[in-house]
Amino acid sequence: MNEPAATQGDHYDVIVVGSGPGGGTTAATLAKTGKRVLLLERGDFLPRERANWESKEVFSENRYVANETFYDLHDKPFRPELHYFVGGNSKVYGAALFRLNPKDFGAVRHPDGISPEWPISYDDLEPYYVQAEHLYWVHGKHGEDPFAGPSSRDYKFPPVKHEPRIQELSDGLEKQGLHPFHLPIGVNLVQNADKHAGGARTLRVERGQDAIRVSVIDAGPGLEREGRDRMFDRYWRGVADGTGKGLGLALVRAVAELHGGVADARQVSAHGLDVGFSLAGVRGWNETAREELSSPSTNDNN
């Protein structure tokens, strides 16, 4: 059997098998060296559909879990929590990104024997933990978790702020001498927009016969027409200060379009923007109305 002649385009310096957190991180790091990297993945892209945001479909019905059967120690079959998509198991997960504890690297005695210590230590991995946390936009605060190992650098982003009731619980636990802490979460949140909102914000809901528009109005400096036209583009940032990633509003548009709607931005005055989304075909609205909720800059994460 004659093999086709290899071309320059067929050559790769490195081939990474699997595009999950491990493979994806490895490929991203190697690509920065200028090497030609091929990333192999057995699965397709996760389909963008309404079920992405439905907890029952994702967690109860296991819509995206691999259709495979594994067997436990007693030969009892079970369906593994594996996701064969570009991105691997990072496509459907809770985004909590803890480091291993320093003690995890040592020998551990179990009822059936001893798990030997690792050939490397926590200190060996610590600089790479920092790089991974910054790569995955982890939000958190080193030093809050009393059981965690030391860190040479803090997270690049602040902790995900608690909802009011959760904050009350956290405060109450602290008063009892306990040490609640924020989970280290690898997410992209609009709390980065707080500093651009100019203080107070207004949530507006406009309802019509068969449509609804939800928007947020701020008192910030606003944007020129070019900026308003581009602000929903993926990775576009109005201010390149290194904190935002330019994905928040792109996700807003994607979700709106998934439901047959549109996202838009309007300049409401010399200062301030009205940014929102509209959905057509919304049934059950019998009157035209507008509701507004104004508040100062808060710790909202939504």
Side-chain angles (χ1 to χ4, degrees), residues 6-299:
T7 65
Q8 182 63 32
D10 295 324
H11 174 78
Y12 295 92
D13 299 304
V14 181
I15 297 177
V16 179
V17 180
S19 64
T25 303
T26 301
T29 303
L30 290 171
K32 295 178 181 178
T33 67
K35 296 185 183 299
R36 185 172 169 81
V37 181
L38 174 64
L39 190 60
L40 297 181
E41 170 57 52
R42 66 181 294 175
D44 203 343
F45 289 93
L46 181 74
R48 178 178 290 178
E49 55 187 355
R50 184 168 185 171
N52 293 162
W53 287 272
E54 295 181 358
S55 298
K56 182 179 179 180
E57 286 287 340
V58 174
F59 300 109
S60 298
E61 303 298 331
N62 290 325
R63 184 181 183 90
Y64 303 113
V65 173
N67 189 22
E68 293 188 351
T69 302
F70 282 26
Y71 295 87
D72 63 15
L73 181 64
H74 305 289
D75 289 330
K76 182 179 179 180
F78 68 95
R79 192 175 178 185
E81 297 261 338
L82 297 174
H83 302 88
Y84 295 145
F85 297 104
V86 175
N89 286 331
S90 69
K91 296 301 295 183
V92 185
Y93 79 132
L97 297 175
F98 285 97
R99 298 182 177 193
L100 290 177
N101 191 282
K103 293 182 179 179
D104 294 331
F105 293 83
V108 179
R109 181 178 296 277
H110 298 282
D112 296 326
I114 298 178
S115 176
E117 65 180 13
W118 290 40
I120 58 175
S121 68
Y122 175 90
D123 291 337
D124 293 328
L125 281 185
E126 201 282 327
Y128 301 100
Y129 272 130
V130 172
Q131 293 182 38
E133 288 163 352
H134 290 184
L135 175 66
Y136 285 104
W137 312 340
V138 180
H139 291 60
K141 180 66 177 177
H142 282 299
E144 285 189 333
D145 182 356
F147 303 104
S151 176
S152 59
R153 294 181 62 185
D154 208 346
Y155 297 109
K156 192 173 182 179
F157 299 96
V160 176
K161 299 174 183 177
H162 293 317
E163 297 294 335
R165 179 54 182 149
I166 301 301
Q167 187 63 57
E168 290 179 4
L169 291 173
S170 179
D171 294 342
L173 292 172
E174 284 189 353
K175 290 179 181 178
Q176 297 183 37
L178 301 176
H179 303 280
F181 60 92
H182 296 82
L183 287 178
I185 302 292
V187 292
N188 180 56
L189 293 174
V190 297
Q191 66 184 32
N192 173 63
D194 279 353
K195 62 180 177 293
H196 302 300
R201 295 186 298 277
T202 298
L203 174 64
R204 174 180 292 174
V205 180
E206 299 173 277
R207 300 176 292 172
Q209 183 66 29
D210 290 307
I212 184 172
R213 184 174 187 272
V214 180
S215 64
V216 175
I217 303 172
D218 66 35
L223 281 175
E224 297 294 334
R225 179 59 183 269
E226 180 184 1
R228 297 198 301 275
D229 290 342
R230 297 188 57 198
M231 65 188 303
F232 293 98
D233 293 346
R234 187 178 298 182
Y235 304 124
W236 186 85
R237 292 181 292 172
V239 179
D241 58 3
T243 56
K245 296 299 180 182
L247 285 174
L249 290 177
L251 292 174
V252 170
R253 181 172 66 179
V255 174
E257 292 178 348
L258 185 66
H259 292 79
V262 296
D264 68 317
R266 310 169 183 174
Q267 189 80 29
V268 293
S269 63
H271 298 286
L273 280 177
D274 178 331
V275 182
F277 62 89
S278 302
L279 298 178
V282 179
R283 303 298 180 183
W285 303 111
N286 298 319
E287 61 180 10
T288 298
R290 186 170 77 183
E291 300 176 359
E292 295 187 356
L293 175 63
S294 298
S295 66
S297 179
T298 63
N299 59 359

